[in-house]
Amino acid sequence: MLKEKNLLTNIGFQVVLAMILGTVVGATMGHNASMFAPLGAIFINLIKMLVIPLVAVALISGAAGLGNSQSAGKVGVTTLAYFALTSALAVTLALVMGEMFKPGIGIDVSGVQSMFSSEYASKGDLPTFWETVIGMIPTNIFQSLNNANILQILVFCLFFGIALTKQSKEKREPIIQGVNTIVDAMVWMINKVMVIAPIGVFGLMSEAVGTFGFGALTVVLKLFVVYMAAILIFGFIVYPLMIQIFTKTSARKFISAMKKPQAVALSTASSMATLPVTMDTCENELAVSNPTASFVLPLGATINMSGNAIYYGLVAVFFAQLFHIDLSMGAYITIIITSTLGAVGQAGVPGPTFLVVAVLLAAGIPIEGLPLLFALDRIFDMTRTALNITGDAACALIVDALVQEQTEEESVNEVATQE
């Protein structure tokens, strides 16, 4: 009886239950389910209200916490290398599975050709390297905060956090303590907002299912099945395996702890909206230190998009097969590079992604059939977001294990020196 009561009061269980109820209501009511949309909008707006200030202070706190340690540089390099490597690995898995299961072969598009359009070709421009670098540097940080430009906020806050550590101890300590107090206050506010999460999730799911339905799924059913298989392999085999190898945390404990943030990610389809829950789970359930979580997780929510990389790769193979285009090794390499680069800087917010256009154009694949996927973009977005935040948490655990290992080595060396 007690166990049953604990389950009912568990926010993760409530969110999953709300998703199921929302799906049933949306499928039953159809477009009329949009009457529940305000419930989702209130929840998302409350999260958005807190996310940007939380990201800013958490990054400052994380950079300040790591800035004085000898492992700071190693943490930064390891984090970025992990993001790049896992994104490249994800798109490679997508290409292999796309070639194995051929989701674009044998599909009759005669009934849906009216949906084809080339109007999205103009949306496929990727910024150049220097445009990306220059665009990351804010000319007015308050404007960046106002516009929620995550990359610019990230650059300023990391720089400011490191700068704090370079001040004398008596000057920096009160400010760092103040920043940490603000982080604690923001987390308290987030926890209060999460009380209404099941209601918001119900509203989001019922509207999404009611608006888009599952009718469009029949045309791209094979693509969707292969895509889900790739997401599950990466989320439940690749990441847990990395946890098992590189940390002292068991893969089973990691998978169990990630249920709550994954449920929130599925319902909101936003890495940023899920960030507070991911941070809470990493710190309180997976014992990741606050400085590491505050540094890695906001960074990951901005630039770590392995789920998107899988989507880009599979969609490229799908349309190449649909239009009977034989991809060369050069095209595969182009898809891997463009998908990996395209995933970096992708804002952690929900919505149709046009970066897939850049991937298709780079590999010489027609983009006319892209509207076939737009009706289902919400479903694709939900699942890839759940994978993205799983990757962020895995990175935080691995990086934290690295920091602890280096700290232990430093302590041993210090004792040896004193002897």
Side-chain angles (χ1 to χ4, degrees), residues 32-90:
N32 291 332
S34 60
M35 65 185 286
F36 297 112
L39 299 176
I42 290 168
F43 173 61
I44 289 291
N45 284 0
L46 283 168
I47 290 283
K48 283 182 177 178
M49 173 182 77
L50 300 172
V51 160
I52 298 302
L54 177 64
V55 168
V57 291
L59 277 168
I60 292 169
S61 172
L66 292 171
N68 258 347
S69 67
Q70 293 179 17
S71 58
K74 200 172 181 181
V75 166
V77 171
T78 304
T79 302
L80 294 174
Y82 168 94
F83 291 160
L85 184 67
T86 51
S87 292
L89 189 62

Short mmCIF file of all heavy atoms in Angstrom, two decimals, residues 32-90:
data_model
loop_
_atom_site.label_atom_id
_atom_site.label_comp_id
_atom_site.label_asym_id
_atom_site.label_seq_id
_atom_site.Cartn_x
_atom_site.Cartn_y
_atom_site.Cartn_z
N ASN A 32 -10.46 18.84 -31.66
CA ASN A 32 -11.13 19.44 -30.49
C ASN A 32 -10.25 19.40 -29.23
O ASN A 32 -10.49 20.12 -28.27
CB ASN A 32 -12.45 18.72 -30.20
CG ASN A 32 -13.49 18.98 -31.27
OD1 ASN A 32 -13.45 20.03 -31.92
ND2 ASN A 32 -14.40 18.04 -31.47
N ALA A 33 -9.22 18.55 -29.27
CA ALA A 33 -8.32 18.44 -28.12
C ALA A 33 -7.49 19.71 -27.93
O ALA A 33 -6.86 19.88 -26.88
CB ALA A 33 -7.39 17.23 -28.29
N SER A 34 -7.53 20.61 -28.92
CA SER A 34 -6.80 21.88 -28.79
C SER A 34 -7.34 22.73 -27.65
O SER A 34 -6.69 23.68 -27.21
CB SER A 34 -6.85 22.68 -30.10
OG SER A 34 -8.20 22.97 -30.42
N MET A 35 -8.53 22.37 -27.13
CA MET A 35 -9.09 23.11 -25.99
C MET A 35 -8.19 22.97 -24.75
O MET A 35 -8.25 23.79 -23.83
CB MET A 35 -10.50 22.60 -25.67
CG MET A 35 -10.56 21.15 -25.18
SD MET A 35 -12.24 20.53 -24.93
CE MET A 35 -12.67 21.37 -23.42
N PHE A 36 -7.34 21.91 -24.73
CA PHE A 36 -6.45 21.72 -23.59
C PHE A 36 -5.09 22.41 -23.79
O PHE A 36 -4.24 22.35 -22.90
CB PHE A 36 -6.22 20.21 -23.36
CG PHE A 36 -7.47 19.46 -23.01
CD1 PHE A 36 -8.00 18.53 -23.90
CD2 PHE A 36 -8.13 19.68 -21.81
CE1 PHE A 36 -9.16 17.83 -23.59
CE2 PHE A 36 -9.29 18.98 -21.49
CZ PHE A 36 -9.81 18.06 -22.39
N ALA A 37 -4.90 23.05 -24.95
CA ALA A 37 -3.62 23.70 -25.26
C ALA A 37 -3.17 24.72 -24.21
O ALA A 37 -1.97 24.79 -23.89
CB ALA A 37 -3.68 24.35 -26.64
N PRO A 38 -4.11 25.54 -23.65
CA PRO A 38 -3.66 26.51 -22.64
C PRO A 38 -2.96 25.89 -21.43
O PRO A 38 -2.08 26.51 -20.84
CB PRO A 38 -4.96 27.20 -22.22
CG PRO A 38 -5.87 27.06 -23.40
CD PRO A 38 -5.52 25.72 -23.99
N LEU A 39 -3.34 24.65 -21.06
CA LEU A 39 -2.69 23.99 -19.93
C LEU A 39 -1.20 23.78 -20.23
O LEU A 39 -0.33 24.02 -19.38
CB LEU A 39 -3.35 22.63 -19.65
CG LEU A 39 -4.84 22.65 -19.29
CD1 LEU A 39 -5.37 21.23 -19.13
CD2 LEU A 39 -5.05 23.43 -17.99
N GLY A 40 -0.91 23.34 -21.45
CA GLY A 40 0.47 23.15 -21.86
C GLY A 40 1.22 24.47 -21.98
O GLY A 40 2.39 24.57 -21.59
N ALA A 41 0.52 25.49 -22.51
CA ALA A 41 1.15 26.81 -22.70
C ALA A 41 1.56 27.43 -21.36
O ALA A 41 2.64 28.02 -21.25
CB ALA A 41 0.20 27.73 -23.45
N ILE A 42 0.70 27.29 -20.35
CA ILE A 42 1.01 27.84 -19.02
C ILE A 42 2.25 27.16 -18.45
O ILE A 42 3.17 27.83 -17.94
CB ILE A 42 -0.19 27.65 -18.06
CG1 ILE A 42 -1.35 28.57 -18.47
CG2 ILE A 42 0.21 27.93 -16.60
CD1 ILE A 42 -2.67 28.27 -17.79
N PHE A 43 2.31 25.84 -18.56
CA PHE A 43 3.45 25.09 -18.04
C PHE A 43 4.75 25.48 -18.76
O PHE A 43 5.76 25.77 -18.13
CB PHE A 43 3.18 23.59 -18.21
CG PHE A 43 4.36 22.72 -17.85
CD1 PHE A 43 4.90 22.73 -16.58
CD2 PHE A 43 4.94 21.89 -18.81
CE1 PHE A 43 5.99 21.92 -16.25
CE2 PHE A 43 6.02 21.08 -18.50
CZ PHE A 43 6.54 21.11 -17.21
N ILE A 44 4.70 25.52 -20.10
CA ILE A 44 5.89 25.86 -20.89
C ILE A 44 6.34 27.29 -20.58
O ILE A 44 7.55 27.56 -20.43
CB ILE A 44 5.61 25.70 -22.40
CG1 ILE A 44 5.49 24.22 -22.76
CG2 ILE A 44 6.70 26.35 -23.25
CD1 ILE A 44 6.78 23.43 -22.67
N ASN A 45 5.40 28.22 -20.47
CA ASN A 45 5.77 29.62 -20.18
C ASN A 45 6.41 29.77 -18.81
O ASN A 45 7.35 30.56 -18.63
CB ASN A 45 4.54 30.52 -20.29
CG ASN A 45 4.15 30.79 -21.74
OD1 ASN A 45 4.81 30.30 -22.65
ND2 ASN A 45 3.10 31.55 -21.95
N LEU A 46 5.91 29.02 -17.82
CA LEU A 46 6.52 29.05 -16.49
C LEU A 46 7.95 28.53 -16.52
O LEU A 46 8.86 29.09 -15.90
CB LEU A 46 5.69 28.22 -15.50
CG LEU A 46 4.40 28.88 -14.99
CD1 LEU A 46 3.53 27.85 -14.28
CD2 LEU A 46 4.72 30.04 -14.05
N ILE A 47 8.17 27.45 -17.30
CA ILE A 47 9.51 26.89 -17.45
C ILE A 47 10.42 27.90 -18.16
O ILE A 47 11.54 28.17 -17.72
CB ILE A 47 9.47 25.56 -18.25
CG1 ILE A 47 8.80 24.46 -17.42
CG2 ILE A 47 10.86 25.14 -18.69
CD1 ILE A 47 9.67 23.86 -16.34
N LYS A 48 9.91 28.48 -19.26
CA LYS A 48 10.71 29.45 -20.02
C LYS A 48 11.07 30.67 -19.18
O LYS A 48 12.15 31.24 -19.32
CB LYS A 48 9.93 29.90 -21.28
CG LYS A 48 9.93 28.88 -22.40
CD LYS A 48 9.18 29.43 -23.60
CE LYS A 48 9.23 28.46 -24.78
NZ LYS A 48 8.45 28.97 -25.93
N MET A 49 10.15 31.06 -18.30
CA MET A 49 10.38 32.20 -17.42
C MET A 49 11.64 32.00 -16.58
O MET A 49 12.39 32.93 -16.29
CB MET A 49 9.16 32.39 -16.51
CG MET A 49 9.32 33.45 -15.43
SD MET A 49 7.85 33.57 -14.38
CE MET A 49 8.03 32.12 -13.32
N LEU A 50 11.89 30.73 -16.20
CA LEU A 50 12.99 30.43 -15.29
C LEU A 50 14.25 29.91 -15.97
O LEU A 50 15.34 30.00 -15.39
CB LEU A 50 12.51 29.39 -14.26
CG LEU A 50 11.33 29.80 -13.39
CD1 LEU A 50 10.84 28.62 -12.57
CD2 LEU A 50 11.70 30.95 -12.47
N VAL A 51 14.12 29.38 -17.18
CA VAL A 51 15.24 28.70 -17.81
C VAL A 51 16.42 29.62 -18.11
O VAL A 51 17.57 29.31 -17.77
CB VAL A 51 14.79 27.96 -19.10
CG1 VAL A 51 15.97 27.65 -20.00
CG2 VAL A 51 14.11 26.66 -18.72
N ILE A 52 16.18 30.77 -18.75
CA ILE A 52 17.30 31.64 -19.14
C ILE A 52 18.07 32.16 -17.91
O ILE A 52 19.30 32.06 -17.88
CB ILE A 52 16.82 32.82 -20.02
CG1 ILE A 52 16.21 32.28 -21.33
CG2 ILE A 52 17.97 33.78 -20.34
CD1 ILE A 52 17.16 31.42 -22.16
N PRO A 53 17.38 32.68 -16.87
CA PRO A 53 18.13 33.08 -15.67
C PRO A 53 18.87 31.91 -15.03
O PRO A 53 20.01 32.07 -14.58
CB PRO A 53 17.04 33.59 -14.71
CG PRO A 53 15.86 33.89 -15.56
CD PRO A 53 15.94 32.99 -16.74
N LEU A 54 18.25 30.72 -15.03
CA LEU A 54 18.91 29.54 -14.44
C LEU A 54 20.16 29.17 -15.23
O LEU A 54 21.21 28.90 -14.64
CB LEU A 54 17.94 28.36 -14.40
CG LEU A 54 18.54 27.05 -13.87
CD1 LEU A 54 18.96 27.19 -12.42
CD2 LEU A 54 17.59 25.88 -14.04
N VAL A 55 20.06 29.16 -16.55
CA VAL A 55 21.22 28.84 -17.40
C VAL A 55 22.36 29.82 -17.12
O VAL A 55 23.52 29.43 -16.97
CB VAL A 55 20.83 28.88 -18.90
CG1 VAL A 55 22.08 28.85 -19.79
CG2 VAL A 55 19.95 27.69 -19.25
N ALA A 56 22.02 31.11 -17.05
CA ALA A 56 23.04 32.15 -16.85
C ALA A 56 23.77 31.96 -15.51
O ALA A 56 25.00 31.87 -15.47
CB ALA A 56 22.40 33.54 -16.91
N VAL A 57 23.02 31.85 -14.42
CA VAL A 57 23.67 31.74 -13.10
C VAL A 57 24.33 30.38 -12.91
O VAL A 57 25.38 30.27 -12.28
CB VAL A 57 22.69 32.04 -11.93
CG1 VAL A 57 22.31 33.51 -11.91
CG2 VAL A 57 21.45 31.16 -11.98
N ALA A 58 23.74 29.32 -13.50
CA ALA A 58 24.33 27.97 -13.37
C ALA A 58 25.68 27.91 -14.09
O ALA A 58 26.63 27.31 -13.59
CB ALA A 58 23.38 26.92 -13.91
N LEU A 59 25.75 28.53 -15.27
CA LEU A 59 27.01 28.54 -16.02
C LEU A 59 28.09 29.33 -15.28
O LEU A 59 29.25 28.92 -15.23
CB LEU A 59 26.79 29.13 -17.41
CG LEU A 59 26.25 28.16 -18.47
CD1 LEU A 59 25.81 28.91 -19.72
CD2 LEU A 59 27.30 27.12 -18.84
N ILE A 60 27.70 30.48 -14.72
CA ILE A 60 28.66 31.28 -13.94
C ILE A 60 29.15 30.46 -12.75
O ILE A 60 30.35 30.39 -12.47
CB ILE A 60 28.02 32.61 -13.48
CG1 ILE A 60 27.75 33.51 -14.68
CG2 ILE A 60 28.94 33.34 -12.48
CD1 ILE A 60 26.89 34.73 -14.37
N SER A 61 28.19 29.82 -12.05
CA SER A 61 28.54 29.00 -10.88
C SER A 61 29.45 27.83 -11.27
O SER A 61 30.45 27.56 -10.61
CB SER A 61 27.24 28.47 -10.24
OG SER A 61 27.53 27.53 -9.23
N GLY A 62 29.10 27.16 -12.38
CA GLY A 62 29.89 26.02 -12.83
C GLY A 62 31.29 26.42 -13.25
O GLY A 62 32.28 25.77 -12.88
N ALA A 63 31.40 27.51 -14.03
CA ALA A 63 32.71 27.98 -14.49
C ALA A 63 33.55 28.44 -13.31
O ALA A 63 34.76 28.19 -13.25
CB ALA A 63 32.53 29.12 -15.49
N ALA A 64 32.91 29.11 -12.34
CA ALA A 64 33.63 29.58 -11.15
C ALA A 64 34.09 28.39 -10.30
O ALA A 64 35.18 28.40 -9.73
CB ALA A 64 32.74 30.50 -10.32
N GLY A 65 33.25 27.36 -10.22
CA GLY A 65 33.59 26.18 -9.44
C GLY A 65 34.74 25.38 -10.04
O GLY A 65 35.56 24.80 -9.34
N LEU A 66 34.81 25.37 -11.38
CA LEU A 66 35.85 24.61 -12.06
C LEU A 66 37.10 25.45 -12.36
O LEU A 66 38.18 24.91 -12.56
CB LEU A 66 35.31 24.05 -13.39
CG LEU A 66 34.24 22.96 -13.30
CD1 LEU A 66 33.66 22.68 -14.68
CD2 LEU A 66 34.82 21.68 -12.72
N GLY A 67 36.89 26.77 -12.41
CA GLY A 67 37.94 27.67 -12.87
C GLY A 67 39.24 27.61 -12.10
O GLY A 67 40.32 27.78 -12.66
N ASN A 68 39.18 27.34 -10.80
CA ASN A 68 40.39 27.32 -9.97
C ASN A 68 41.08 25.95 -9.95
O ASN A 68 42.20 25.83 -9.48
CB ASN A 68 40.05 27.72 -8.53
CG ASN A 68 40.45 29.17 -8.27
OD1 ASN A 68 41.17 29.77 -9.07
ND2 ASN A 68 39.97 29.73 -7.18
N SER A 69 40.37 24.91 -10.43
CA SER A 69 40.95 23.58 -10.38
C SER A 69 41.88 23.35 -11.57
O SER A 69 41.69 23.94 -12.63
CB SER A 69 39.85 22.51 -10.38
OG SER A 69 39.19 22.50 -11.62
N GLN A 70 42.85 22.47 -11.38
CA GLN A 70 43.78 22.16 -12.46
C GLN A 70 43.11 21.39 -13.58
O GLN A 70 43.62 21.32 -14.70
CB GLN A 70 44.96 21.35 -11.90
CG GLN A 70 45.85 22.14 -10.95
CD GLN A 70 47.01 21.30 -10.41
OE1 GLN A 70 47.32 20.26 -10.96
NE2 GLN A 70 47.63 21.76 -9.35
N SER A 71 41.95 20.80 -13.31
CA SER A 71 41.26 19.98 -14.31
C SER A 71 40.31 20.78 -15.20
O SER A 71 39.67 20.22 -16.08
CB SER A 71 40.48 18.86 -13.63
OG SER A 71 39.55 19.41 -12.71
N ALA A 72 40.21 22.11 -14.98
CA ALA A 72 39.24 22.94 -15.71
C ALA A 72 39.39 22.81 -17.23
O ALA A 72 38.42 22.57 -17.95
CB ALA A 72 39.37 24.40 -15.30
N GLY A 73 40.63 22.95 -17.71
CA GLY A 73 40.87 22.85 -19.15
C GLY A 73 40.53 21.48 -19.69
O GLY A 73 39.93 21.35 -20.76
N LYS A 74 40.88 20.47 -18.92
CA LYS A 74 40.62 19.08 -19.32
C LYS A 74 39.12 18.82 -19.40
O LYS A 74 38.64 18.12 -20.29
CB LYS A 74 41.27 18.14 -18.30
CG LYS A 74 41.51 16.73 -18.81
CD LYS A 74 42.34 15.94 -17.80
CE LYS A 74 42.60 14.53 -18.30
NZ LYS A 74 43.39 13.74 -17.32
N VAL A 75 38.37 19.40 -18.44
CA VAL A 75 36.91 19.25 -18.42
C VAL A 75 36.30 19.85 -19.69
O VAL A 75 35.46 19.22 -20.35
CB VAL A 75 36.30 19.92 -17.17
CG1 VAL A 75 34.79 20.07 -17.31
CG2 VAL A 75 36.63 19.11 -15.93
N GLY A 76 36.72 21.06 -20.04
CA GLY A 76 36.20 21.75 -21.22
C GLY A 76 36.48 20.98 -22.50
O GLY A 76 35.58 20.75 -23.32
N VAL A 77 37.73 20.54 -22.66
CA VAL A 77 38.13 19.80 -23.86
C VAL A 77 37.39 18.46 -23.93
O VAL A 77 36.89 18.07 -25.00
CB VAL A 77 39.66 19.58 -23.88
CG1 VAL A 77 40.06 18.62 -25.01
CG2 VAL A 77 40.39 20.90 -24.04
N THR A 78 37.31 17.75 -22.79
CA THR A 78 36.64 16.44 -22.75
C THR A 78 35.16 16.59 -23.11
O THR A 78 34.61 15.78 -23.88
CB THR A 78 36.76 15.80 -21.35
OG1 THR A 78 38.14 15.71 -21.00
CG2 THR A 78 36.14 14.42 -21.32
N THR A 79 34.51 17.62 -22.56
CA THR A 79 33.09 17.85 -22.83
C THR A 79 32.84 18.08 -24.31
O THR A 79 31.96 17.46 -24.91
CB THR A 79 32.57 19.05 -22.01
OG1 THR A 79 32.80 18.81 -20.61
CG2 THR A 79 31.09 19.29 -22.23
N LEU A 80 33.62 18.98 -24.91
CA LEU A 80 33.43 19.31 -26.33
C LEU A 80 33.76 18.10 -27.22
O LEU A 80 33.06 17.84 -28.20
CB LEU A 80 34.29 20.51 -26.72
CG LEU A 80 33.89 21.84 -26.06
CD1 LEU A 80 34.89 22.94 -26.40
CD2 LEU A 80 32.49 22.27 -26.49
N ALA A 81 34.83 17.37 -26.87
CA ALA A 81 35.21 16.18 -27.65
C ALA A 81 34.11 15.12 -27.57
O ALA A 81 33.78 14.48 -28.57
CB ALA A 81 36.53 15.62 -27.13
N TYR A 82 33.53 14.96 -26.37
CA TYR A 82 32.44 14.00 -26.17
C TYR A 82 31.25 14.36 -27.05
O TYR A 82 30.68 13.49 -27.73
CB TYR A 82 32.05 13.99 -24.70
CG TYR A 82 30.75 13.28 -24.37
CD1 TYR A 82 30.76 11.94 -23.97
CD2 TYR A 82 29.53 13.93 -24.47
CE1 TYR A 82 29.57 11.28 -23.68
CE2 TYR A 82 28.34 13.28 -24.18
CZ TYR A 82 28.37 11.95 -23.79
OH TYR A 82 27.18 11.31 -23.51
N PHE A 83 30.85 15.64 -27.04
CA PHE A 83 29.71 16.08 -27.84
C PHE A 83 29.94 15.81 -29.32
O PHE A 83 29.05 15.30 -30.03
CB PHE A 83 29.43 17.57 -27.62
CG PHE A 83 28.91 17.91 -26.25
CD1 PHE A 83 29.00 19.20 -25.76
CD2 PHE A 83 28.34 16.94 -25.44
CE1 PHE A 83 28.52 19.53 -24.49
CE2 PHE A 83 27.86 17.24 -24.17
CZ PHE A 83 27.95 18.54 -23.70
N ALA A 84 31.12 16.15 -29.83
CA ALA A 84 31.43 15.96 -31.24
C ALA A 84 31.47 14.48 -31.60
O ALA A 84 30.91 14.05 -32.63
CB ALA A 84 32.77 16.62 -31.58
N LEU A 85 32.10 13.68 -30.75
CA LEU A 85 32.26 12.25 -31.01
C LEU A 85 30.92 11.52 -31.00
O LEU A 85 30.63 10.72 -31.91
CB LEU A 85 33.20 11.63 -29.97
CG LEU A 85 33.55 10.15 -30.16
CD1 LEU A 85 34.38 9.96 -31.41
CD2 LEU A 85 34.29 9.60 -28.95
N THR A 86 30.10 11.79 -29.99
CA THR A 86 28.81 11.09 -29.89
C THR A 86 27.86 11.50 -31.03
O THR A 86 27.10 10.68 -31.53
CB THR A 86 28.12 11.32 -28.53
OG1 THR A 86 28.07 12.72 -28.25
CG2 THR A 86 28.87 10.60 -27.42
N SER A 87 27.92 12.78 -31.45
CA SER A 87 27.09 13.22 -32.58
C SER A 87 27.51 12.52 -33.86
O SER A 87 26.67 12.06 -34.64
CB SER A 87 27.19 14.74 -32.75
OG SER A 87 26.58 15.41 -31.67
N ALA A 88 28.83 12.43 -34.09
CA ALA A 88 29.35 11.75 -35.29
C ALA A 88 29.00 10.26 -35.25
O ALA A 88 28.61 9.66 -36.27
CB ALA A 88 30.86 11.93 -35.39
N LEU A 89 29.09 9.66 -34.06
CA LEU A 89 28.76 8.24 -33.89
C LEU A 89 27.27 8.01 -34.14
O LEU A 89 26.87 7.01 -34.76
CB LEU A 89 29.13 7.81 -32.46
CG LEU A 89 29.07 6.32 -32.13
CD1 LEU A 89 30.06 5.54 -32.99
CD2 LEU A 89 29.37 6.09 -30.65
N ALA A 90 26.44 8.96 -33.68
CA ALA A 90 24.99 8.84 -33.83
C ALA A 90 24.59 8.88 -35.31
O ALA A 90 23.78 8.06 -35.76
CB ALA A 90 24.29 9.97 -33.08
#
